[in-house]
Amino acid sequence: MAKIFGIDLGTTYSCIAYVNDYGMPEVISNKESSPVTPSVVAFEEGGAVSVGNAAKETLNSDPQNVCTTIKRQMGKRDFMFNAFGTDYTPETISALILKKLAKDAGEVLKEEVKDVVITCPAYFGLDERNATEKAGQIAGFNVLAVLNEPTAAAISYGMQVDNPQTVMVYDLGGGTFDVTIIKVENGKIRVVATGGDHELGGKDWDEVIRQYVIEKYCEATGDSEDSIYDDMEAMGDLELKAETAKKLLTQKDKAVVKLNGEKIEISREQFDEKTGALLESTIKKTHETMEDAAKKGVASYDKILLVGGSTRMPQVDARLRQEFPNIPIEFCDPDQSVAKGAAIYGINKAVFIFEEGEDKKAIQSNPIFQFGSGKGKALEIVNVISQSIAVRLRCEDKQMHIVNQIYKNTEIPCQQVLYAGTDEANQITVHIEIFENSSAERYVEEEQCKPLVDGELGPLPANLPANAPINVVFNIDESGLLSIDAEYKPDGAAEASVKKHLEVNLQNALTQKEFEEEMKKVSGLRVQ
C-alpha cells in the first residue's frame, strides 16, 4: 500500500515524515541532506522556482522575488506576492514548499507522496485551516486531515510513554506560538485546552536583532534608518544575519553582525532584555490556557514539553523554569516531532478511511499498532476547537447581541442546538448570522468576530406569533469543520416544519475558479 506522510508546514522551516515498516516515525531528509527545509520560495524569470536553502540564499541578492514567512498570511485574501508581474496567493506559495518536500521525499523513497496530513497552529481558525488544506490540494496531495501542531507533537511523545500524564505542550516556532494542555494515556490523546498567537514566533526575535543592528549602525555612521530600510538587498542580507546571530546567541554570550562593513555586537544579555516582552507574551498566553484547563478540572501537570525550534533559545527554558519551578521541562524533538506525530495520526486516520480489505489490513499490520491501545487498534485522539462559534440574537435587554453558543476548547466532534424563536408576529423569514471568534465570554463585540454564515430560513407559515420556535443546530466534526442547519419546528404535528441547511461561507477562501487558476500557475512552474 502507499505510504501516508505527515508534513509540518512551518513558518520558517518545514519537515516531512512517514511511519516506516518497523512502526517508527521517520523524517525524510531533503536533497541537501537536512531533515528540515527553509519555508522560503524564490522566483526566477522563465518560470523556475527554488525552494529551501537555495531560495534563502537569494535574499541578499534578489530579495524582491523571495517570499518568506508566508504562513502568517494564510487565510488572508488581501495578501498577494508579486514576482515578475504575476500574483501568487499564500496557498500557492505554500503549495510550492509542499511540492519541494514531496519531490525530495519521493526521490529518497522511490514513491510518490500522495496521502498526507498537514499540520497548522492550534489557534488557526476555519479560514486558515481551509487555506492550509487548499495548499495541499494545489500541490497535488490527497489531504487526509489538517492537524494541530501541538496535538501532533503530543502524539509523537505519547507513543513513547505507558503511564497516564498531563502535559503542557509549549510550541514556539519560527512564526507562531501555541500552548496546548493534553492528557496522555495508554492509546489515547485528549486535548484539554489550547491557546496561542499565530503572529508570534522566532521571526519576531530576529526582527529585534535587525532593528538593534540598524539603530547602532546609524548611530555609528550618521546614516538615516530610512536609507537602510529602503535598501532591499541590505534588508534581505540583514534578515539572514539576524537569524544567524540569534542561533549563535543560544550557544555563546555575544554575536557580531556586519552591516555595510560596520561590525555591530550584541550580547545575550542585551538580546534577552530587548526580547523580554515577546517572551512574557507567551507566558501570559500560557496562563490563560491553564485557566481554561482548570475550568475542566486540570489542576496539576506532569511535564512541560518544549516544541519548535525557537524553544532552543536559553531564555525560554530559563523563564519557564522560573515560572513553573515544580514542573519538569523536557525538549520534545523540537524540529521533527510535529511531522512525526502527523505521520502517526495519518496511519491511524487511514484505518477509518479505508473499507475492510487489503488496504486496511496492510495498515493495521504496521507495528505502530503494537503501541498504546493494543495490536490492530488505532490511537484514540480527542481534540478541541480553538475558536468560539456565536450567533446574533435579540436578548433579554431587547437589544441585538452576538452571543457565543459553542466555546473555544470544547471537545469535538460535538453538536449543540440553539432553541430560539421569531422576533415578531407574522414573520415570513428568519435572518441567521453566525460568527467565529476567540473570546470565551458569552457576549462578543462585532469587531472581534469573523462572519461564517449569513442566511435565511423561510418562507415560514403565515400568521405565526412572535417567538415561534426556531432551532439552529451546530455540528462540528473531528476536523473542526462546522455545519449549520436551521428549522422551524411547530409544537403540533398538523403543521409541517421548515428546514434549511445553511452554507458556511469562508470570506477568505479561494473560489473554485481561483483554485483552478492557482493550480494552473503551479503546474507551469519548475520547482527546484
PDB file of all heavy atoms in Angstrom, residues 147 151 155 187-191 345 348 379-383 412 478:
ATOM      1  N   LEU A 147      -4.101  18.959  10.984  1.00  0.00           N
ATOM      2  CA  LEU A 147      -3.967  18.607  12.404  1.00  0.00           C
ATOM      3  C   LEU A 147      -3.229  19.700  13.161  1.00  0.00           C
ATOM      4  O   LEU A 147      -2.250  20.262  12.663  1.00  0.00           O
ATOM      5  CB  LEU A 147      -3.201  17.282  12.510  1.00  0.00           C
ATOM      6  CG  LEU A 147      -2.898  16.743  13.906  1.00  0.00           C
ATOM      7  CD1 LEU A 147      -4.182  16.335  14.618  1.00  0.00           C
ATOM      8  CD2 LEU A 147      -1.943  15.553  13.815  1.00  0.00           C
ATOM      9  N   THR A 151      -0.914  19.035  19.057  1.00  0.00           N
ATOM     10  CA  THR A 151      -1.504  17.697  19.145  1.00  0.00           C
ATOM     11  C   THR A 151      -0.600  16.681  18.461  1.00  0.00           C
ATOM     12  O   THR A 151      -0.382  15.575  18.974  1.00  0.00           O
ATOM     13  CB  THR A 151      -2.899  17.681  18.494  1.00  0.00           C
ATOM     14  OG1 THR A 151      -3.720  18.672  19.122  1.00  0.00           O
ATOM     15  CG2 THR A 151      -3.565  16.326  18.654  1.00  0.00           C
ATOM     16  N   ILE A 155       1.194  13.476  20.160  1.00  0.00           N
ATOM     17  CA  ILE A 155       1.047  12.110  19.642  1.00  0.00           C
ATOM     18  C   ILE A 155       2.412  11.447  19.554  1.00  0.00           C
ATOM     19  O   ILE A 155       2.603  10.298  19.967  1.00  0.00           O
ATOM     20  CB  ILE A 155       0.354  12.127  18.268  1.00  0.00           C
ATOM     21  CG1 ILE A 155      -1.116  12.540  18.414  1.00  0.00           C
ATOM     22  CG2 ILE A 155       0.452  10.761  17.583  1.00  0.00           C
ATOM     23  CD1 ILE A 155      -1.803  12.805  17.098  1.00  0.00           C
ATOM     24  N   GLY A 187      -2.694   4.713  24.665  1.00  0.00           N
ATOM     25  CA  GLY A 187      -3.518   4.609  23.465  1.00  0.00           C
ATOM     26  C   GLY A 187      -4.508   5.734  23.287  1.00  0.00           C
ATOM     27  O   GLY A 187      -5.375   5.661  22.418  1.00  0.00           O
ATOM     28  N   LYS A 188      -4.392   6.803  24.075  1.00  0.00           N
ATOM     29  CA  LYS A 188      -5.369   7.886  23.976  1.00  0.00           C
ATOM     30  C   LYS A 188      -4.694   9.234  24.214  1.00  0.00           C
ATOM     31  O   LYS A 188      -3.921   9.400  25.157  1.00  0.00           O
ATOM     32  CB  LYS A 188      -6.488   7.679  24.995  1.00  0.00           C
ATOM     33  CG  LYS A 188      -7.643   8.650  24.860  1.00  0.00           C
ATOM     34  CD  LYS A 188      -8.779   8.244  25.793  1.00  0.00           C
ATOM     35  CE  LYS A 188     -10.005   9.122  25.592  1.00  0.00           C
ATOM     36  NZ  LYS A 188     -11.133   8.706  26.446  1.00  0.00           N
ATOM     37  N   ILE A 189      -4.994  10.191  23.334  1.00  0.00           N
ATOM     38  CA  ILE A 189      -4.534  11.572  23.477  1.00  0.00           C
ATOM     39  C   ILE A 189      -5.772  12.453  23.574  1.00  0.00           C
ATOM     40  O   ILE A 189      -6.585  12.492  22.658  1.00  0.00           O
ATOM     41  CB  ILE A 189      -3.701  12.029  22.262  1.00  0.00           C
ATOM     42  CG1 ILE A 189      -2.535  11.077  21.990  1.00  0.00           C
ATOM     43  CG2 ILE A 189      -3.219  13.454  22.438  1.00  0.00           C
ATOM     44  CD1 ILE A 189      -1.400  11.157  22.944  1.00  0.00           C
ATOM     45  N   ARG A 190      -5.925  13.141  24.703  1.00  0.00           N
ATOM     46  CA  ARG A 190      -7.090  14.015  24.879  1.00  0.00           C
ATOM     47  C   ARG A 190      -6.621  15.455  25.064  1.00  0.00           C
ATOM     48  O   ARG A 190      -5.923  15.765  26.024  1.00  0.00           O
ATOM     49  CB  ARG A 190      -7.929  13.581  26.083  1.00  0.00           C
ATOM     50  CG  ARG A 190      -9.165  14.462  26.327  1.00  0.00           C
ATOM     51  CD  ARG A 190      -9.934  14.014  27.553  1.00  0.00           C
ATOM     52  NE  ARG A 190     -10.526  12.715  27.355  1.00  0.00           N
ATOM     53  CZ  ARG A 190     -11.705  12.502  26.761  1.00  0.00           C
ATOM     54  NH1 ARG A 190     -12.406  13.523  26.311  1.00  0.00           N
ATOM     55  NH2 ARG A 190     -12.173  11.291  26.618  1.00  0.00           N
ATOM     56  N   VAL A 191      -6.997  16.328  24.133  1.00  0.00           N
ATOM     57  CA  VAL A 191      -6.683  17.745  24.254  1.00  0.00           C
ATOM     58  C   VAL A 191      -7.662  18.387  25.228  1.00  0.00           C
ATOM     59  O   VAL A 191      -8.880  18.225  25.085  1.00  0.00           O
ATOM     60  CB  VAL A 191      -6.749  18.448  22.883  1.00  0.00           C
ATOM     61  CG1 VAL A 191      -6.447  19.934  23.026  1.00  0.00           C
ATOM     62  CG2 VAL A 191      -5.774  17.800  21.898  1.00  0.00           C
ATOM     63  N   TYR A 345      -0.620  10.049  13.105  1.00  0.00           N
ATOM     64  CA  TYR A 345      -2.051  10.363  13.005  1.00  0.00           C
ATOM     65  C   TYR A 345      -2.607   9.906  11.660  1.00  0.00           C
ATOM     66  O   TYR A 345      -3.721   9.382  11.584  1.00  0.00           O
ATOM     67  CB  TYR A 345      -2.255  11.870  13.172  1.00  0.00           C
ATOM     68  CG  TYR A 345      -3.703  12.306  13.135  1.00  0.00           C
ATOM     69  CD1 TYR A 345      -4.495  12.240  14.281  1.00  0.00           C
ATOM     70  CD2 TYR A 345      -4.287  12.793  11.970  1.00  0.00           C
ATOM     71  CE1 TYR A 345      -5.820  12.639  14.256  1.00  0.00           C
ATOM     72  CE2 TYR A 345      -5.604  13.195  11.935  1.00  0.00           C
ATOM     73  CZ  TYR A 345      -6.366  13.117  13.076  1.00  0.00           C
ATOM     74  OH  TYR A 345      -7.680  13.511  13.047  1.00  0.00           O
ATOM     75  N   ASN A 348      -3.268   6.267  11.649  1.00  0.00           N
ATOM     76  CA  ASN A 348      -4.475   5.990  12.439  1.00  0.00           C
ATOM     77  C   ASN A 348      -5.742   6.371  11.689  1.00  0.00           C
ATOM     78  O   ASN A 348      -6.724   5.637  11.681  1.00  0.00           O
ATOM     79  CB  ASN A 348      -4.412   6.748  13.766  1.00  0.00           C
ATOM     80  CG  ASN A 348      -3.590   6.026  14.815  1.00  0.00           C
ATOM     81  OD1 ASN A 348      -4.124   5.287  15.608  1.00  0.00           O
ATOM     82  ND2 ASN A 348      -2.289   6.233  14.795  1.00  0.00           N
ATOM     83  N   LEU A 379      -4.938   4.608  17.523  1.00  0.00           N
ATOM     84  CA  LEU A 379      -4.792   5.541  18.634  1.00  0.00           C
ATOM     85  C   LEU A 379      -6.041   6.404  18.718  1.00  0.00           C
ATOM     86  O   LEU A 379      -6.534   6.894  17.707  1.00  0.00           O
ATOM     87  CB  LEU A 379      -3.563   6.416  18.382  1.00  0.00           C
ATOM     88  CG  LEU A 379      -3.172   7.449  19.426  1.00  0.00           C
ATOM     89  CD1 LEU A 379      -2.632   6.756  20.667  1.00  0.00           C
ATOM     90  CD2 LEU A 379      -2.123   8.392  18.858  1.00  0.00           C
ATOM     91  N   GLU A 380      -6.576   6.568  19.910  1.00  0.00           N
ATOM     92  CA  GLU A 380      -7.755   7.414  20.090  1.00  0.00           C
ATOM     93  C   GLU A 380      -7.307   8.844  20.375  1.00  0.00           C
ATOM     94  O   GLU A 380      -6.529   9.081  21.291  1.00  0.00           O
ATOM     95  CB  GLU A 380      -8.624   6.903  21.237  1.00  0.00           C
ATOM     96  CG  GLU A 380      -9.916   7.698  21.399  1.00  0.00           C
ATOM     97  CD  GLU A 380     -10.769   7.193  22.543  1.00  0.00           C
ATOM     98  OE1 GLU A 380     -10.460   6.121  23.096  1.00  0.00           O
ATOM     99  OE2 GLU A 380     -11.752   7.872  22.889  1.00  0.00           O
ATOM    100  N   ILE A 381      -7.820   9.801  19.576  1.00  0.00           N
ATOM    101  CA  ILE A 381      -7.428  11.199  19.705  1.00  0.00           C
ATOM    102  C   ILE A 381      -8.686  12.049  19.855  1.00  0.00           C
ATOM    103  O   ILE A 381      -9.587  12.003  19.012  1.00  0.00           O
ATOM    104  CB  ILE A 381      -6.611  11.663  18.489  1.00  0.00           C
ATOM    105  CG1 ILE A 381      -5.328  10.826  18.365  1.00  0.00           C
ATOM    106  CG2 ILE A 381      -6.270  13.141  18.588  1.00  0.00           C
ATOM    107  CD1 ILE A 381      -4.654  10.918  17.037  1.00  0.00           C
ATOM    108  N   VAL A 382      -8.749  12.800  20.943  1.00  0.00           N
ATOM    109  CA  VAL A 382      -9.879  13.700  21.188  1.00  0.00           C
ATOM    110  C   VAL A 382      -9.349  15.123  21.139  1.00  0.00           C
ATOM    111  O   VAL A 382      -8.503  15.503  21.950  1.00  0.00           O
ATOM    112  CB  VAL A 382     -10.552  13.415  22.545  1.00  0.00           C
ATOM    113  CG1 VAL A 382     -11.718  14.371  22.760  1.00  0.00           C
ATOM    114  CG2 VAL A 382     -11.020  11.968  22.615  1.00  0.00           C
ATOM    115  N   ASN A 383      -9.866  15.928  20.199  1.00  0.00           N
ATOM    116  CA  ASN A 383      -9.365  17.291  20.012  1.00  0.00           C
ATOM    117  C   ASN A 383     -10.395  18.301  20.473  1.00  0.00           C
ATOM    118  O   ASN A 383     -11.517  17.940  20.866  1.00  0.00           O
ATOM    119  CB  ASN A 383      -9.012  17.515  18.538  1.00  0.00           C
ATOM    120  CG  ASN A 383      -7.749  18.350  18.382  1.00  0.00           C
ATOM    121  OD1 ASN A 383      -7.473  19.235  19.186  1.00  0.00           O
ATOM    122  ND2 ASN A 383      -6.978  18.077  17.342  1.00  0.00           N
ATOM    123  N   ILE A 412     -14.375  18.079  20.355  1.00  0.00           N
ATOM    124  CA  ILE A 412     -15.025  17.757  19.091  1.00  0.00           C
ATOM    125  C   ILE A 412     -14.774  16.293  18.746  1.00  0.00           C
ATOM    126  O   ILE A 412     -13.768  15.719  19.157  1.00  0.00           O
ATOM    127  CB  ILE A 412     -14.530  18.686  17.952  1.00  0.00           C
ATOM    128  CG1 ILE A 412     -12.995  18.671  17.861  1.00  0.00           C
ATOM    129  CG2 ILE A 412     -15.072  20.066  18.120  1.00  0.00           C
ATOM    130  CD1 ILE A 412     -12.438  19.505  16.720  1.00  0.00           C
ATOM    131  N   GLU A 478     -14.740  16.020  13.680  1.00  0.00           N
ATOM    132  CA  GLU A 478     -13.460  15.814  14.360  1.00  0.00           C
ATOM    133  C   GLU A 478     -12.333  16.649  13.767  1.00  0.00           C
ATOM    134  O   GLU A 478     -11.300  16.866  14.397  1.00  0.00           O
ATOM    135  CB  GLU A 478     -13.074  14.340  14.319  1.00  0.00           C
ATOM    136  CG  GLU A 478     -12.841  13.808  12.921  1.00  0.00           C
ATOM    137  CD  GLU A 478     -12.360  12.368  12.921  1.00  0.00           C
ATOM    138  OE1 GLU A 478     -12.365  11.747  13.988  1.00  0.00           O
ATOM    139  OE2 GLU A 478     -11.969  11.890  11.854  1.00  0.00           O
TER     140      GLU A 478
END
